[in-house]
Amino acid sequence: MRVLMFGWEFPPHISGGLGTACFGLTRGLSYISDLQVLFVVPKAFGDEEQQGISLIGANQVPVRHRKLNLKHFSRKLDYIEVGSRMMPYTDPDEYFRIQKSKKEKGAFEFVQTDDAGQIPFTGTYGANLLQEIHDYALVANVIAQDYSFDLIHAHDWLTYPAGIAAKEATGKPLVIHVHATDFDRSGGSVNPVVFDIEKRGMEAADKIIAVSNLTRRTIIEKYGIDAEKVVTVYNAVEPLEKKDKPAFQKGTNEKVVTFLGRITMQKGPEYFVEAAHRVLQKNRNVRFVMAGSGDMMHNMVRRAAQLKIMDKFHFTGFLRGEEVFSMLAMSDLYVMPSVSEPFGISPLEAMQSNVPVLISHQSGVAEILTYAIKTNFWDVDAMADAIYGVLHYPALSEMFVKYGKKEVDSLKWEKSALDVKVVYDTVLKGFH
Amino acid sequence: MKTVCLYFQVHQPFRFRRYRFFDIGNDHYYFDDYTNESILNKIAANCYLPANKLLLKLITQHKGTFKVALSITGVAMEQFKLYAPEVLDSFRALAATGQVEFLAETYAHSLVALKDEDAFRQQVAMHSDMVEEFFGQKPLVFRNTELIYSDHIGDMVARMGFKAMLTEGAKHILGWKSPNFLYCNAINPRLKVLLKNYKLSDDIAFRFGDKGWHEWPLTSTKFARWLNDLDKKEEVVNLFMDYETFGEHQKKESGIFEFLEYLPKEILKHKSLKFGTPSEVASRLQVVAPVNVPNPVSWADEERDLTAWLGNEMQQEAFDKLYAQLPKMNRCADSKLLKDWNYLQCSDHFYYMCTKFFSDGDVHAYFNPYETPYEAFINYMNVLSDFAIRLNAAVPFSSEEKEIANLSGILEERDLKIKKLEEEVQKLRSRKRTTAAKRTVKKEGVVSKTKEKSQKGSAKMKSKK
């Protein structure tokens, strides 16, 4: 069985959980003997890991001499304006640079090709994102004609148009994988353009994979998709590589409570700040860290200053590989108060590093974890209670670490891949 | 006769390096040596050295008729010692002429006057000692950081023994009155107050090189004529500005040094004008009125208030958390901590956190190592966190802890006492009971009374708890 897979990111060029999940899943699939994955990303840098998959950069495909057979789509996707809030996940630094420079794109839309007839892609999320999605779909059509495969698999709304284009070109079945919907990202005020792309992707798909029941419900209820068509396959986590000592050691004997992620509305950073304030009123011997950056960071700094907790509340800015590891190593509790998190791999990574986790009920990962503290994202009192409890009653934290580690070690991508394979099989069975 | 009083401010902060969360508790060095050294050397070459040379030349040329006042912060002096000792020598040469008055201020260019009188007094004394050591004169006139002044601050300064203080002649405190007279403090009239003529000062400091200004180019002749054209009754013109005006804020190419070179000559051409230092002005002129300043003023920005340093919640938080360490600092004798404590207090750190970009962004961006005020704030708080950890280690018992220990000791003593008394009551009661039992038949009334008494007694004991 050959699968043509459309993604948007691949390690090491990752700006969000999407890339991590794509990588884990394709790796898991590579263990299945009669299955081959052809993974397409908008821009291949050349240094991606390539194990058991072949990687094609869309910008390496000449499109000049191809007939683009894309009647419905080119027209519908032709011209769309994107405001900054619409960006699905943004590499935070990139986002601010774009915001600062405010480069406006002209109203003309034509496919620009470079000398070799290749469409250049930046591969990062930016202001001309929709243009890129559209270009990507055009190239997908070409690729689909060049390679042979049995099935198309598209990850998240960015690649749905590409998936549909490939399906149109070849008539092969389409599976779409929903890692997040715009309801999660926007907190309810959905961008109609993104919603439209998502809905059409879901409708065109032969089967939909959702990363949690939470997301599955959203797909059924908000997008009006037939429940039969939607299957939940949980994400997993890459086993932790044995690493040397972290680069940074904790410099204080105080407890450290960590929020690690993009500082955006979806992640609920404000609830973390409020909970920190409540805990600090009872106990000054603890430090809170908000690691990451995002469009709400400045508001959070101001709020923390207003609450007068900035001597115990720290912002680290965007952290990279080694620093993330160090940060987890010095944490005594990991908090993910997401307002709406389709899955959430990061708490699993914390558990692997022997850090107890506090997650919101509004996250997909809460459905499969037993050894994690769960509260509602808005319930800052409960959150403060839980934080205080974990910090003060060592028995609690020891239990979470011990059993949490076991629990997280049992979540393997190989298992998720088998579930995905079952989906493939049912789709192909129905198709022939 | 009008006196022209020139005063220049010299200050450079120790800028922090990027101090990350990971550094807290691990690395106790906070400063960006490279930036500090390169900025200082640049300003020394552009401003301090050529300007000092010129002043020295002018003073010798005019033989006692040209005078200026200077104020150099303690932190700037330390940087000269570290990075540019030749600048220090050239200031010493100026001091040796006897025509340069050195003013007192807070050692660290801090905002401590707004927080604590004792600490304020200490920092001023520290600075005065330094001036005396390096320049051989005891300062008589005070200028607060950024010319921050209020009636209350003036009163504190008067009680420290200074005879005069410099501040901004802000429009909102003067109203129709002119800054060109000598005023006094509203609480303590013995303290004379010299008010900056901001119009004429800023003509040099800010507008000199501005080609869009309708008075451009400003020549010494023109400027001296403006001074001469002022109302005949006015007695003093206070021209206060940053020393960096010469060669740094106004580049050499703008002709600022030529302007300064010919200014004394042009001014002294007019019979009605002469130069004087602040202490001469304060002792020679008559006070015309007290100046009422209930709320602090400064020489910064359009508003001439404190909002450049304490205008938003981040600045307030940083300021409060800094001075929350003060009680502990008072019991700290560690020289390294004391040094960092001074550098932490520099008003510049708060200035970098300012969010009023629109009106005075250019001035705020000057030598600012941070991209955003948020970054400045986060960095400062990280440094302060590490400092607090070190301080806690150096001063083992917090005052709270001591107090708690004291109180719990007293409580224990009381508990013991109460226990003893209770036992005694018990004893007495049982004894009474046995004796009473013998008498029950004969004298019932008496027994009940004594019982009541003993019960009352034990109740009293309990209420002591």
Side-chain angles (χ1 to χ4, degrees), chain A residues 269 272-273 276-277 280 287-290 300 304 309-315, chain B residues 381-382:
Chain A
F272 182 68
V273 177
H277 178 228
L280 284 169
R287 286 185 191 275
F288 291 84
V289 180
M290 186 168 272
M300 292 303 106
I309 54 173
M310 269 304 282
D311 53 336
K312 295 285 182 182
F313 198 102
H314 303 273
F315 291 86
Chain B
M381 293 312 284
N382 283 348

mmCIF file with all atom_site columns, all heavy atoms in Angstrom, chain A residues 269 272-273 276-277 280 287-290 300 304 309-315, chain B residues 381-382:
data_model
loop_
_atom_site.group_PDB
_atom_site.id
_atom_site.type_symbol
_atom_site.label_atom_id
_atom_site.label_alt_id
_atom_site.label_comp_id
_atom_site.label_asym_id
_atom_site.label_entity_id
_atom_site.label_seq_id
_atom_site.pdbx_PDB_ins_code
_atom_site.Cartn_x
_atom_site.Cartn_y
_atom_site.Cartn_z
_atom_site.occupancy
_atom_site.B_iso_or_equiv
_atom_site.pdbx_formal_charge
_atom_site.auth_seq_id
_atom_site.auth_comp_id
_atom_site.auth_asym_id
_atom_site.auth_atom_id
_atom_site.pdbx_PDB_model_num
ATOM 1   N N   . PRO A 1 269 ? -3.061 31.282 28.719 1.00 0.00 ? 269 PRO A N   1
ATOM 2   C CA  . PRO A 1 269 ? -1.991 31.778 29.602 1.00 0.00 ? 269 PRO A CA  1
ATOM 3   C C   . PRO A 1 269 ? -2.516 32.630 30.759 1.00 0.00 ? 269 PRO A C   1
ATOM 4   O O   . PRO A 1 269 ? -1.953 32.605 31.854 1.00 0.00 ? 269 PRO A O   1
ATOM 5   C CB  . PRO A 1 269 ? -1.097 32.606 28.672 1.00 0.00 ? 269 PRO A CB  1
ATOM 6   C CG  . PRO A 1 269 ? -1.966 32.988 27.524 1.00 0.00 ? 269 PRO A CG  1
ATOM 7   C CD  . PRO A 1 269 ? -2.905 31.836 27.352 1.00 0.00 ? 269 PRO A CD  1
ATOM 8   N N   . PHE A 1 272 ? -3.187 30.793 33.910 1.00 0.00 ? 272 PHE A N   1
ATOM 9   C CA  . PHE A 1 272 ? -1.956 30.427 34.617 1.00 0.00 ? 272 PHE A CA  1
ATOM 10  C C   . PHE A 1 272 ? -1.480 31.591 35.486 1.00 0.00 ? 272 PHE A C   1
ATOM 11  O O   . PHE A 1 272 ? -1.092 31.406 36.642 1.00 0.00 ? 272 PHE A O   1
ATOM 12  C CB  . PHE A 1 272 ? -0.891 30.048 33.584 1.00 0.00 ? 272 PHE A CB  1
ATOM 13  C CG  . PHE A 1 272 ? 0.408  29.596 34.176 1.00 0.00 ? 272 PHE A CG  1
ATOM 14  C CD1 . PHE A 1 272 ? 0.500  28.394 34.867 1.00 0.00 ? 272 PHE A CD1 1
ATOM 15  C CD2 . PHE A 1 272 ? 1.554  30.363 34.047 1.00 0.00 ? 272 PHE A CD2 1
ATOM 16  C CE1 . PHE A 1 272 ? 1.704  27.967 35.407 1.00 0.00 ? 272 PHE A CE1 1
ATOM 17  C CE2 . PHE A 1 272 ? 2.767  29.946 34.584 1.00 0.00 ? 272 PHE A CE2 1
ATOM 18  C CZ  . PHE A 1 272 ? 2.832  28.746 35.267 1.00 0.00 ? 272 PHE A CZ  1
ATOM 19  N N   . VAL A 1 273 ? -1.549 32.796 34.930 1.00 0.00 ? 273 VAL A N   1
ATOM 20  C CA  . VAL A 1 273 ? -1.109 33.973 35.689 1.00 0.00 ? 273 VAL A CA  1
ATOM 21  C C   . VAL A 1 273 ? -1.984 34.159 36.927 1.00 0.00 ? 273 VAL A C   1
ATOM 22  O O   . VAL A 1 273 ? -1.481 34.383 38.034 1.00 0.00 ? 273 VAL A O   1
ATOM 23  C CB  . VAL A 1 273 ? -1.161 35.245 34.808 1.00 0.00 ? 273 VAL A CB  1
ATOM 24  C CG1 . VAL A 1 273 ? -0.775 36.475 35.616 1.00 0.00 ? 273 VAL A CG1 1
ATOM 25  C CG2 . VAL A 1 273 ? -0.248 35.105 33.598 1.00 0.00 ? 273 VAL A CG2 1
ATOM 26  N N   . ALA A 1 276 ? -1.263 31.537 39.495 1.00 0.00 ? 276 ALA A N   1
ATOM 27  C CA  . ALA A 1 276 ? 0.030  31.836 40.129 1.00 0.00 ? 276 ALA A CA  1
ATOM 28  C C   . ALA A 1 276 ? -0.154 32.878 41.226 1.00 0.00 ? 276 ALA A C   1
ATOM 29  O O   . ALA A 1 276 ? 0.376  32.750 42.332 1.00 0.00 ? 276 ALA A O   1
ATOM 30  C CB  . ALA A 1 276 ? 1.020  32.342 39.088 1.00 0.00 ? 276 ALA A CB  1
ATOM 31  N N   . HIS A 1 277 ? -0.943 33.889 40.920 1.00 0.00 ? 277 HIS A N   1
ATOM 32  C CA  . HIS A 1 277 ? -1.203 34.945 41.895 1.00 0.00 ? 277 HIS A CA  1
ATOM 33  C C   . HIS A 1 277 ? -1.823 34.378 43.163 1.00 0.00 ? 277 HIS A C   1
ATOM 34  O O   . HIS A 1 277 ? -1.437 34.707 44.276 1.00 0.00 ? 277 HIS A O   1
ATOM 35  C CB  . HIS A 1 277 ? -2.127 35.979 41.249 1.00 0.00 ? 277 HIS A CB  1
ATOM 36  C CG  . HIS A 1 277 ? -2.513 37.094 42.169 1.00 0.00 ? 277 HIS A CG  1
ATOM 37  N ND1 . HIS A 1 277 ? -3.803 37.507 42.327 1.00 0.00 ? 277 HIS A ND1 1
ATOM 38  C CD2 . HIS A 1 277 ? -1.770 37.863 42.990 1.00 0.00 ? 277 HIS A CD2 1
ATOM 39  C CE1 . HIS A 1 277 ? -3.843 38.481 43.215 1.00 0.00 ? 277 HIS A CE1 1
ATOM 40  N NE2 . HIS A 1 277 ? -2.623 38.721 43.625 1.00 0.00 ? 277 HIS A NE2 1
ATOM 41  N N   . LEU A 1 280 ? 0.739  32.320 45.125 1.00 0.00 ? 280 LEU A N   1
ATOM 42  C CA  . LEU A 1 280 ? 1.773  33.159 45.743 1.00 0.00 ? 280 LEU A CA  1
ATOM 43  C C   . LEU A 1 280 ? 1.278  33.899 46.978 1.00 0.00 ? 280 LEU A C   1
ATOM 44  O O   . LEU A 1 280 ? 2.068  34.340 47.811 1.00 0.00 ? 280 LEU A O   1
ATOM 45  C CB  . LEU A 1 280 ? 2.324  34.155 44.718 1.00 0.00 ? 280 LEU A CB  1
ATOM 46  C CG  . LEU A 1 280 ? 3.291  33.534 43.706 1.00 0.00 ? 280 LEU A CG  1
ATOM 47  C CD1 . LEU A 1 280 ? 3.580  34.495 42.565 1.00 0.00 ? 280 LEU A CD1 1
ATOM 48  C CD2 . LEU A 1 280 ? 4.588  33.125 44.385 1.00 0.00 ? 280 LEU A CD2 1
ATOM 49  N N   . ARG A 1 287 ? 8.422  29.621 42.278 1.00 0.00 ? 287 ARG A N   1
ATOM 50  C CA  . ARG A 1 287 ? 8.545  30.499 41.122 1.00 0.00 ? 287 ARG A CA  1
ATOM 51  C C   . ARG A 1 287 ? 7.713  29.949 39.968 1.00 0.00 ? 287 ARG A C   1
ATOM 52  O O   . ARG A 1 287 ? 7.676  28.742 39.754 1.00 0.00 ? 287 ARG A O   1
ATOM 53  C CB  . ARG A 1 287 ? 9.993  30.627 40.676 1.00 0.00 ? 287 ARG A CB  1
ATOM 54  C CG  . ARG A 1 287 ? 10.809 31.482 41.600 1.00 0.00 ? 287 ARG A CG  1
ATOM 55  C CD  . ARG A 1 287 ? 12.214 31.719 41.112 1.00 0.00 ? 287 ARG A CD  1
ATOM 56  N NE  . ARG A 1 287 ? 12.984 32.315 42.175 1.00 0.00 ? 287 ARG A NE  1
ATOM 57  C CZ  . ARG A 1 287 ? 13.021 33.607 42.438 1.00 0.00 ? 287 ARG A CZ  1
ATOM 58  N NH1 . ARG A 1 287 ? 12.369 34.455 41.679 1.00 0.00 ? 287 ARG A NH1 1
ATOM 59  N NH2 . ARG A 1 287 ? 13.725 34.075 43.452 1.00 0.00 ? 287 ARG A NH2 1
ATOM 60  N N   . PHE A 1 288 ? 7.081  30.858 39.235 1.00 0.00 ? 288 PHE A N   1
ATOM 61  C CA  . PHE A 1 288 ? 6.304  30.472 38.071 1.00 0.00 ? 288 PHE A CA  1
ATOM 62  C C   . PHE A 1 288 ? 7.031  30.924 36.819 1.00 0.00 ? 288 PHE A C   1
ATOM 63  O O   . PHE A 1 288 ? 7.601  32.009 36.797 1.00 0.00 ? 288 PHE A O   1
ATOM 64  C CB  . PHE A 1 288 ? 4.912  31.096 38.139 1.00 0.00 ? 288 PHE A CB  1
ATOM 65  C CG  . PHE A 1 288 ? 4.068  30.502 39.220 1.00 0.00 ? 288 PHE A CG  1
ATOM 66  C CD1 . PHE A 1 288 ? 4.159  30.957 40.521 1.00 0.00 ? 288 PHE A CD1 1
ATOM 67  C CD2 . PHE A 1 288 ? 3.202  29.461 38.931 1.00 0.00 ? 288 PHE A CD2 1
ATOM 68  C CE1 . PHE A 1 288 ? 3.397  30.382 41.531 1.00 0.00 ? 288 PHE A CE1 1
ATOM 69  C CE2 . PHE A 1 288 ? 2.434  28.888 39.921 1.00 0.00 ? 288 PHE A CE2 1
ATOM 70  C CZ  . PHE A 1 288 ? 2.532  29.349 41.229 1.00 0.00 ? 288 PHE A CZ  1
ATOM 71  N N   . VAL A 1 289 ? 7.031  30.059 35.825 1.00 0.00 ? 289 VAL A N   1
ATOM 72  C CA  . VAL A 1 289 ? 7.727  30.392 34.590 1.00 0.00 ? 289 VAL A CA  1
ATOM 73  C C   . VAL A 1 289 ? 6.772  30.259 33.425 1.00 0.00 ? 289 VAL A C   1
ATOM 74  O O   . VAL A 1 289 ? 6.098  29.238 33.279 1.00 0.00 ? 289 VAL A O   1
ATOM 75  C CB  . VAL A 1 289 ? 8.925  29.458 34.367 1.00 0.00 ? 289 VAL A CB  1
ATOM 76  C CG1 . VAL A 1 289 ? 9.637  29.819 33.068 1.00 0.00 ? 289 VAL A CG1 1
ATOM 77  C CG2 . VAL A 1 289 ? 9.890  29.540 35.526 1.00 0.00 ? 289 VAL A CG2 1
ATOM 78  N N   . MET A 1 290 ? 6.706  31.305 32.617 1.00 0.00 ? 290 MET A N   1
ATOM 79  C CA  . MET A 1 290 ? 5.938  31.221 31.385 1.00 0.00 ? 290 MET A CA  1
ATOM 80  C C   . MET A 1 290 ? 6.938  31.224 30.241 1.00 0.00 ? 290 MET A C   1
ATOM 81  O O   . MET A 1 290 ? 7.545  32.234 29.928 1.00 0.00 ? 290 MET A O   1
ATOM 82  C CB  . MET A 1 290 ? 4.969  32.396 31.282 1.00 0.00 ? 290 MET A CB  1
ATOM 83  C CG  . MET A 1 290 ? 4.038  32.278 30.100 1.00 0.00 ? 290 MET A CG  1
ATOM 84  S SD  . MET A 1 290 ? 2.682  33.468 30.165 1.00 0.00 ? 290 MET A SD  1
ATOM 85  C CE  . MET A 1 290 ? 1.479  32.564 31.123 1.00 0.00 ? 290 MET A CE  1
ATOM 86  N N   . MET A 1 300 ? 0.345  39.572 29.157 1.00 0.00 ? 300 MET A N   1
ATOM 87  C CA  . MET A 1 300 ? 0.615  38.742 30.339 1.00 0.00 ? 300 MET A CA  1
ATOM 88  C C   . MET A 1 300 ? 1.653  39.418 31.240 1.00 0.00 ? 300 MET A C   1
ATOM 89  O O   . MET A 1 300 ? 1.540  39.391 32.457 1.00 0.00 ? 300 MET A O   1
ATOM 90  C CB  . MET A 1 300 ? 1.110  37.355 29.910 1.00 0.00 ? 300 MET A CB  1
ATOM 91  C CG  . MET A 1 300 ? 0.064  36.505 29.215 1.00 0.00 ? 300 MET A CG  1
ATOM 92  S SD  . MET A 1 300 ? -1.419 36.260 30.201 1.00 0.00 ? 300 MET A SD  1
ATOM 93  C CE  . MET A 1 300 ? -2.575 37.320 29.386 1.00 0.00 ? 300 MET A CE  1
ATOM 94  N N   . ALA A 1 304 ? 0.853  40.416 35.076 1.00 0.00 ? 304 ALA A N   1
ATOM 95  C CA  . ALA A 1 304 ? 1.681  39.945 36.184 1.00 0.00 ? 304 ALA A CA  1
ATOM 96  C C   . ALA A 1 304 ? 2.226  41.135 36.973 1.00 0.00 ? 304 ALA A C   1
ATOM 97  O O   . ALA A 1 304 ? 2.329  41.089 38.200 1.00 0.00 ? 304 ALA A O   1
ATOM 98  C CB  . ALA A 1 304 ? 2.813  39.077 35.669 1.00 0.00 ? 304 ALA A CB  1
ATOM 99  N N   . ILE A 1 309 ? 3.370  40.298 41.107 1.00 0.00 ? 309 ILE A N   1
ATOM 100 C CA  . ILE A 1 309 ? 4.010  39.007 41.370 1.00 0.00 ? 309 ILE A CA  1
ATOM 101 C C   . ILE A 1 309 ? 5.256  38.822 40.511 1.00 0.00 ? 309 ILE A C   1
ATOM 102 O O   . ILE A 1 309 ? 5.783  37.733 40.396 1.00 0.00 ? 309 ILE A O   1
ATOM 103 C CB  . ILE A 1 309 ? 3.037  37.829 41.101 1.00 0.00 ? 309 ILE A CB  1
ATOM 104 C CG1 . ILE A 1 309 ? 2.460  37.921 39.685 1.00 0.00 ? 309 ILE A CG1 1
ATOM 105 C CG2 . ILE A 1 309 ? 1.935  37.783 42.132 1.00 0.00 ? 309 ILE A CG2 1
ATOM 106 C CD1 . ILE A 1 309 ? 1.628  36.711 39.293 1.00 0.00 ? 309 ILE A CD1 1
ATOM 107 N N   . MET A 1 310 ? 5.725  39.904 39.904 1.00 0.00 ? 310 MET A N   1
ATOM 108 C CA  . MET A 1 310 ? 6.810  39.729 38.937 1.00 0.00 ? 310 MET A CA  1
ATOM 109 C C   . MET A 1 310 ? 8.139  39.324 39.582 1.00 0.00 ? 310 MET A C   1
ATOM 110 O O   . MET A 1 310 ? 9.055  38.948 38.872 1.00 0.00 ? 310 MET A O   1
ATOM 111 C CB  . MET A 1 310 ? 7.002  40.993 38.103 1.00 0.00 ? 310 MET A CB  1
ATOM 112 C CG  . MET A 1 310 ? 6.195  41.022 36.825 1.00 0.00 ? 310 MET A CG  1
ATOM 113 S SD  . MET A 1 310 ? 6.464  39.622 35.702 1.00 0.00 ? 310 MET A SD  1
ATOM 114 C CE  . MET A 1 310 ? 8.012  40.089 34.934 1.00 0.00 ? 310 MET A CE  1
ATOM 115 N N   . ASP A 1 311 ? 8.232  39.420 40.902 1.00 0.00 ? 311 ASP A N   1
ATOM 116 C CA  . ASP A 1 311 ? 9.466  38.935 41.512 1.00 0.00 ? 311 ASP A CA  1
ATOM 117 C C   . ASP A 1 311 ? 9.483  37.408 41.563 1.00 0.00 ? 311 ASP A C   1
ATOM 118 O O   . ASP A 1 311 ? 10.523 36.802 41.790 1.00 0.00 ? 311 ASP A O   1
ATOM 119 C CB  . ASP A 1 311 ? 9.661  39.531 42.909 1.00 0.00 ? 311 ASP A CB  1
ATOM 120 C CG  . ASP A 1 311 ? 8.447  39.322 43.788 1.00 0.00 ? 311 ASP A CG  1
ATOM 121 O OD1 . ASP A 1 311 ? 7.335  39.153 43.241 1.00 0.00 ? 311 ASP A OD1 1
ATOM 122 O OD2 . ASP A 1 311 ? 8.601  39.325 45.020 1.00 0.00 ? 311 ASP A OD2 1
ATOM 123 N N   . LYS A 1 312 ? 8.311  36.798 41.354 1.00 0.00 ? 312 LYS A N   1
ATOM 124 C CA  . LYS A 1 312 ? 8.239  35.339 41.406 1.00 0.00 ? 312 LYS A CA  1
ATOM 125 C C   . LYS A 1 312 ? 7.684  34.754 40.116 1.00 0.00 ? 312 LYS A C   1
ATOM 126 O O   . LYS A 1 312 ? 7.352  33.585 40.052 1.00 0.00 ? 312 LYS A O   1
ATOM 127 C CB  . LYS A 1 312 ? 7.334  34.912 42.578 1.00 0.00 ? 312 LYS A CB  1
ATOM 128 C CG  . LYS A 1 312 ? 7.889  35.280 43.937 1.00 0.00 ? 312 LYS A CG  1
ATOM 129 C CD  . LYS A 1 312 ? 9.021  34.367 44.335 1.00 0.00 ? 312 LYS A CD  1
ATOM 130 C CE  . LYS A 1 312 ? 9.533  34.724 45.718 1.00 0.00 ? 312 LYS A CE  1
ATOM 131 N NZ  . LYS A 1 312 ? 10.672 33.871 46.092 1.00 0.00 ? 312 LYS A NZ  1
ATOM 132 N N   . PHE A 1 313 ? 7.505  35.576 39.129 1.00 0.00 ? 313 PHE A N   1
ATOM 133 C CA  . PHE A 1 313 ? 6.901  35.119 37.874 1.00 0.00 ? 313 PHE A CA  1
ATOM 134 C C   . PHE A 1 313 ? 7.839  35.516 36.742 1.00 0.00 ? 313 PHE A C   1
ATOM 135 O O   . PHE A 1 313 ? 8.154  36.673 36.576 1.00 0.00 ? 313 PHE A O   1
ATOM 136 C CB  . PHE A 1 313 ? 5.535  35.780 37.695 1.00 0.00 ? 313 PHE A CB  1
ATOM 137 C CG  . PHE A 1 313 ? 4.658  35.073 36.698 1.00 0.00 ? 313 PHE A CG  1
ATOM 138 C CD1 . PHE A 1 313 ? 3.636  34.254 37.117 1.00 0.00 ? 313 PHE A CD1 1
ATOM 139 C CD2 . PHE A 1 313 ? 4.875  35.223 35.344 1.00 0.00 ? 313 PHE A CD2 1
ATOM 140 C CE1 . PHE A 1 313 ? 2.839  33.599 36.206 1.00 0.00 ? 313 PHE A CE1 1
ATOM 141 C CE2 . PHE A 1 313 ? 4.077  34.565 34.417 1.00 0.00 ? 313 PHE A CE2 1
ATOM 142 C CZ  . PHE A 1 313 ? 3.051  33.751 34.853 1.00 0.00 ? 313 PHE A CZ  1
ATOM 143 N N   . HIS A 1 314 ? 8.279  34.538 35.960 1.00 0.00 ? 314 HIS A N   1
ATOM 144 C CA  . HIS A 1 314 ? 9.313  34.824 34.974 1.00 0.00 ? 314 HIS A CA  1
ATOM 145 C C   . HIS A 1 314 ? 8.883  34.487 33.559 1.00 0.00 ? 314 HIS A C   1
ATOM 146 O O   . HIS A 1 314 ? 8.173  33.517 33.337 1.00 0.00 ? 314 HIS A O   1
ATOM 147 C CB  . HIS A 1 314 ? 10.583 34.057 35.312 1.00 0.00 ? 314 HIS A CB  1
ATOM 148 C CG  . HIS A 1 314 ? 11.085 34.358 36.688 1.00 0.00 ? 314 HIS A CG  1
ATOM 149 N ND1 . HIS A 1 314 ? 11.929 35.411 36.944 1.00 0.00 ? 314 HIS A ND1 1
ATOM 150 C CD2 . HIS A 1 314 ? 10.834 33.773 37.876 1.00 0.00 ? 314 HIS A CD2 1
ATOM 151 C CE1 . HIS A 1 314 ? 12.182 35.443 38.242 1.00 0.00 ? 314 HIS A CE1 1
ATOM 152 N NE2 . HIS A 1 314 ? 11.524 34.465 38.829 1.00 0.00 ? 314 HIS A NE2 1
ATOM 153 N N   . PHE A 1 315 ? 9.353  35.297 32.648 1.00 0.00 ? 315 PHE A N   1
ATOM 154 C CA  . PHE A 1 315 ? 9.132  35.038 31.231 1.00 0.00 ? 315 PHE A CA  1
ATOM 155 C C   . PHE A 1 315 ? 10.484 34.716 30.605 1.00 0.00 ? 315 PHE A C   1
ATOM 156 O O   . PHE A 1 315 ? 11.452 35.425 30.824 1.00 0.00 ? 315 PHE A O   1
ATOM 157 C CB  . PHE A 1 315 ? 8.532  36.266 30.565 1.00 0.00 ? 315 PHE A CB  1
ATOM 158 C CG  . PHE A 1 315 ? 7.125  36.555 30.998 1.00 0.00 ? 315 PHE A CG  1
ATOM 159 C CD1 . PHE A 1 315 ? 6.876  37.305 32.138 1.00 0.00 ? 315 PHE A CD1 1
ATOM 160 C CD2 . PHE A 1 315 ? 6.054  36.080 30.269 1.00 0.00 ? 315 PHE A CD2 1
ATOM 161 C CE1 . PHE A 1 315 ? 5.585  37.562 32.553 1.00 0.00 ? 315 PHE A CE1 1
ATOM 162 C CE2 . PHE A 1 315 ? 4.753  36.337 30.672 1.00 0.00 ? 315 PHE A CE2 1
ATOM 163 C CZ  . PHE A 1 315 ? 4.515  37.081 31.807 1.00 0.00 ? 315 PHE A CZ  1
ATOM 164 N N   . MET B 2 381 ? 13.616 42.286 36.177 1.00 0.00 ? 381 MET B N   1
ATOM 165 C CA  . MET B 2 381 ? 13.044 41.464 37.245 1.00 0.00 ? 381 MET B CA  1
ATOM 166 C C   . MET B 2 381 ? 13.858 40.189 37.459 1.00 0.00 ? 381 MET B C   1
ATOM 167 O O   . MET B 2 381 ? 13.971 39.704 38.581 1.00 0.00 ? 381 MET B O   1
ATOM 168 C CB  . MET B 2 381 ? 11.580 41.121 36.949 1.00 0.00 ? 381 MET B CB  1
ATOM 169 C CG  . MET B 2 381 ? 10.632 42.299 36.962 1.00 0.00 ? 381 MET B CG  1
ATOM 170 S SD  . MET B 2 381 ? 10.786 43.398 38.376 1.00 0.00 ? 381 MET B SD  1
ATOM 171 C CE  . MET B 2 381 ? 9.976  42.460 39.659 1.00 0.00 ? 381 MET B CE  1
ATOM 172 N N   . ASN B 2 382 ? 14.408 39.646 36.384 1.00 0.00 ? 382 ASN B N   1
ATOM 173 C CA  . ASN B 2 382 ? 15.264 38.470 36.537 1.00 0.00 ? 382 ASN B CA  1
ATOM 174 C C   . ASN B 2 382 ? 16.505 38.809 37.358 1.00 0.00 ? 382 ASN B C   1
ATOM 175 O O   . ASN B 2 382 ? 16.892 38.060 38.254 1.00 0.00 ? 382 ASN B O   1
ATOM 176 C CB  . ASN B 2 382 ? 15.687 37.932 35.164 1.00 0.00 ? 382 ASN B CB  1
ATOM 177 C CG  . ASN B 2 382 ? 14.578 37.143 34.481 1.00 0.00 ? 382 ASN B CG  1
ATOM 178 O OD1 . ASN B 2 382 ? 13.577 36.801 35.116 1.00 0.00 ? 382 ASN B OD1 1
ATOM 179 N ND2 . ASN B 2 382 ? 14.743 36.862 33.216 1.00 0.00 ? 382 ASN B ND2 1
#
